[in-house]
Amino acid sequence: MAKKRIAIIGTGVAGTSLVKFFVSDERFNENYEIDLYDGKKTMGRGYAYQHDDENLIVNLPAELMSLTSDQGDYIKWLESNKYEAESYTSRSLYGEYIHSTLMNFVHRHQNINTVESFVEDISFENDENIYTVYTDGAVSKYDAIFLTNGEMSYSDPYELKGEKNFIYNPYPIEDVLKNVKGRIGIIGSGLSAIDCFRYLLKNGHSKVTVLSRSGELPSVRGTYYDLSGEYFSIEHAMSDKNQDLIPLDRIVDLFRKELRAHGIQEELLTRKTDRPEIDLKFDLEHPDEVGKIQYLITSLEDTFKVLYKYLSRKDKTRFMEEYHELIQSNHSPMPPHGAKQILEWIDKGRLEFLDDMESVEVNDEFLVGFEDKNQKPFDVLINATGPVSDIRKDNTLLIKNLYNRMLVEPDEFGGLLIDKYHRVISPRYGTMHNFYTIGALTVGSDYLIKGVTMLSTETYHLVNHFLTRN
């Protein structure tokens, strides 16, 4: 067997999980050689878990964050390295765990190598099915590519990038935000916004204003329940499959039936008022009710993932418009202690939430406009709107070059167009031989596949598909 050279581009959770499944497969041997590409600071950590302020917390309990089949692996790692096995740890600490896990694989296998460089371009030789990877000053050829480079670049909805005192990307927060002064506004109200105001308020700033269109924060994690689906299942939904499609209305009916079976009121899904002080208090005061719907949705992740692929274009669009936010807001909740801290800051007047944001004017200061035509001035605006999902709007050099070469095609629902095995579909070459991707770049095809557990499950299938055919 001729040696197969493999490039894994990006070594966060998905990239490290790929390595894990390669080395644990009995078919993996010295005939395969893997090169791992990432920057020095993000190798084995990924962008999300790089070194940063210790107050930036993972929003999942530690017992749900293991990278191996042993669900207690992360807890054991914490204890063996003399860290306190807290339920919610810092993201930097979790990054140390990923890095340690990856380096352990590298040190045990001479055919796995790290390359501390960012990939700038990839070309494809169609006649030979060979990929050429370009980094700064180096060129290497491979038989297979696994693209797991994480989130795309930040969105900029008000086109402020380049303006003085506009912080386009706040990460790493302890480096980027340590010297900001004056009247501070944060654009966005998701997990990135929480990271920003938590850091600023814990480091001496007297007041921070959160600006957004909706004002909706993530929900608060409730009581744990060990639940499973009875009605909202692939088997039940498939009974209504017609011409390889399942009607959205049928899927919604099954989900409502599942809610009733568990004694969950459907109104809990739409409980948000877009007023954080009300929403956070409700979740904290009703942990059992909130926890039940959160953990039911978590238990149904695999079902959502499969059924999403059977929706028509029209139904998928409708699902994203009408139901996605209801599911997502209960899928990635914040820790209770974080919610209590936010309420304390609100009560003390240190944290302000303003919704219905509409525009930004730039003069000597930023004037933020709202739907009621009022304006509010700021000295500094921090962008916490999160990454783009359309690859045509991404300014990452690698993605721009792949799109320009017509090696990749945007999925209209986000990320790259892929087949059911996560192989890239190119407008120039069709389904790409041995070119796989997963994670943020497959958001249009993979529903809810962002968490550690789901990414780990899916990367197993990629490795198995590759080794079966190679």
Side-chain angles (χ1 to χ4, degrees):
M1 175 182 174
K3 180 169 287 191
K4 295 284 187 181
R5 298 200 67 212
I6 302 163
I8 297 178
I9 301 170
T11 59
V13 171
T16 301
S17 294
L18 285 170
V19 177
K20 172 188 70 175
F21 287 119
F22 268 116
V23 302
S24 62
D25 195 297
E26 62 182 9
R27 294 168 291 182
F28 182 74
N29 54 43
E30 66 277 0
N31 291 317
Y32 298 95
E33 183 172 349
I34 298 176
D35 285 344
L36 306 172
Y37 285 90
D38 216 327
K40 184 176 182 178
K41 293 183 178 180
T42 50
M43 179 68 72
R45 294 179 176 85
Y47 186 76
Y49 302 108
Q50 63 184 310
H51 286 298
D52 210 333
D53 185 77
E54 64 180 11
N55 290 306
L56 307 187
I57 305 298
V58 176
N59 65 334
L60 277 174
E63 53 268 24
L64 300 178
M65 296 292 288
S66 293
L67 282 171
T68 71
S69 57
D70 178 3
Q71 291 190 352
D73 186 63
Y74 183 35
I75 298 289
K76 293 174 183 176
W77 181 88
L78 289 169
E79 293 172 343
S80 68
N81 286 277
K82 311 302 180 185
Y83 293 113
E84 185 176 350
E86 300 174 299
S87 186
Y88 297 92
T89 65
S90 72
R91 291 217 291 272
S92 292
L93 188 55
Y94 187 68
E96 289 296 323
Y97 165 66
I98 304 174
H99 180 77
S100 173
T101 302
L102 181 65
M103 290 301 105
N104 185 42
F105 295 142
V106 172
H107 293 150
R108 285 166 38 204
H109 296 85
Q110 293 184 348
N111 54 339
I112 301 179
N113 314 290
T114 58
V115 183
E116 291 183 344
S117 296
F118 291 112
V119 174
E120 298 177 348
D121 200 359
I122 302 171
S123 63
F124 178 60
E125 298 171 26
N126 190 33
D127 294 338
E128 302 178 15
N129 282 330
I130 294 295
Y131 297 93
T132 303
V133 169
Y134 302 86
T135 60
D136 184 17
V139 176
S140 301
K141 294 188 180 295
Y142 295 95
D143 301 286
I145 301 289
F146 288 83
L147 186 59
T148 56
N149 56 334
E151 298 284 5
M152 289 183 275
S153 58
Y154 257 54
S155 62
D156 183 16
Y158 301 100
E159 299 181 350
L160 298 171
K161 188 177 181 181
E163 295 288 349
K164 183 180 178 181
N165 292 328
F166 174 70
I167 299 174
Y168 167 66
N169 184 341
Y171 294 100
I173 280 179
E174 65 178 1
D175 294 334
V176 178
L177 301 187
K178 63 182 178 181
N179 293 319
V180 297
K181 298 177 181 179
R183 298 164 296 179
I184 302 171
I186 299 173
I187 304 175
S189 59
L191 294 174
S192 293
I194 294 173
D195 284 347
C196 292
F197 68 66
R198 177 180 286 139
Y199 171 82
L200 293 168
L201 293 173
K202 282 182 174 289
N203 284 275
H205 289 269
S206 59
K207 184 176 181 179
V208 175
T209 301
V210 179
L211 308 158
S212 67
R213 290 176 177 145
S214 71
E216 182 175 314
L217 285 175
S219 62
V220 184
R221 188 170 296 278
T223 306
Y224 173 76
Y225 285 87
D226 184 9
L227 302 175
S228 59
E230 180 181 354
Y231 301 102
F232 188 74
S233 68
I234 297 170
E235 180 182 2
H236 282 115
M238 286 296 180
S239 65
D240 287 279
K241 187 175 72 169
N242 182 26
Q243 298 179 348
D244 214 33
L245 294 172
I246 301 174
L248 176 59
D249 288 339
R250 174 56 175 161
I251 293 174
V252 171
D253 286 344
L254 289 172
F255 184 68
R256 284 174 170 152
K257 192 172 184 180
E258 194 68 60
L259 292 177
R260 291 193 296 270
H262 289 279
I264 299 173
Q265 295 182 350
E266 189 175 332
E267 290 74 17
L268 275 175
L269 276 174
T270 57
R271 66 187 183 276
K272 292 295 185 71
T273 66
D274 294 343
R275 291 184 58 186
E277 68 277 13
I278 294 176
D279 296 336
L280 296 181
K281 285 179 180 177
F282 179 90
D283 285 7
L284 287 169
E285 292 171 358
H286 301 84
D288 293 343
E289 298 95 315
V290 170
K292 185 175 284 190
I293 195 167
Q294 290 169 347
Y295 283 100
L296 177 63
I297 288 173
T298 298
S299 74
L300 300 174
E301 285 176 337
D302 284 329
T303 306
F304 274 114
K305 175 194 73 176
V306 172
L307 298 185
Y308 182 75
K309 298 177 186 294
Y310 284 91
L311 293 175
S312 67
R313 175 179 277 109
K314 183 178 179 181
D315 275 351
K316 189 177 286 189
T317 300
R318 184 175 148 226
F319 174 81
M320 296 304 293
E321 291 175 349
E322 297 181 15
Y323 299 105
H324 168 66
E325 287 300 326
L326 304 179
I327 301 299
Q328 183 62 33
S329 66
N330 287 286
H331 183 254
S332 300
M334 71 174 78
H337 68 273
K340 293 175 182 177
Q341 178 71 83
I342 291 172
L343 287 173
E344 182 180 328
W345 283 327
I346 293 174
D347 289 342
K348 291 181 177 180
R350 298 186 64 198
L351 185 59
E352 175 185 36
F353 288 85
L354 298 177
D355 57 7
D356 294 332
M357 180 179 177
E358 191 173 60
S359 63
V360 181
E361 295 178 14
V362 183
N363 296 301
D364 295 331
E365 59 188 4
F366 297 101
L367 279 177
V368 174
F370 301 90
E371 289 182 6
D372 62 6
K373 306 307 178 184
N374 284 324
Q375 290 182 313
K376 189 175 180 70
F378 293 93
D379 301 306
V380 177
L381 285 183
I382 300 169
N383 184 27
T385 56
V388 298
S389 59
D390 186 342
I391 64 169
R392 292 166 296 189
K393 297 179 181 179
D394 184 37
N395 59 26
T396 306
L397 183 57
L398 173 58
I399 301 301
K400 289 172 68 174
N401 285 332
L402 290 175
Y403 181 64
N404 183 56
R405 287 183 180 276
M406 298 184 71
L407 283 182
V408 299
E409 180 75 1
D411 184 310
E412 65 180 285
F413 294 97
L416 304 181
L417 195 63
I418 59 172
D419 74 354
K420 63 181 180 179
Y421 300 110
H422 284 85
R423 292 178 298 188
V424 169
I425 298 176
S426 162
R428 188 174 181 183
Y429 301 109
T431 301
M432 299 295 289
H433 178 74
N434 286 346
F435 190 166
Y436 299 85
T437 187
I438 194 170
L441 290 174
T442 60
V443 64
S445 297
D446 292 337
Y447 190 64
L448 296 182
I449 301 181
K450 279 194 174 183
V452 172
T453 303
M454 292 291 281
L455 278 176
S456 182
T457 301
E458 291 302 306
T459 49
Y460 163 76
H461 294 303
L462 269 67
V463 170
N464 182 61
H465 186 270
F466 172 80
L467 290 176
T468 300
R469 289 157 177 76
N470 294 276

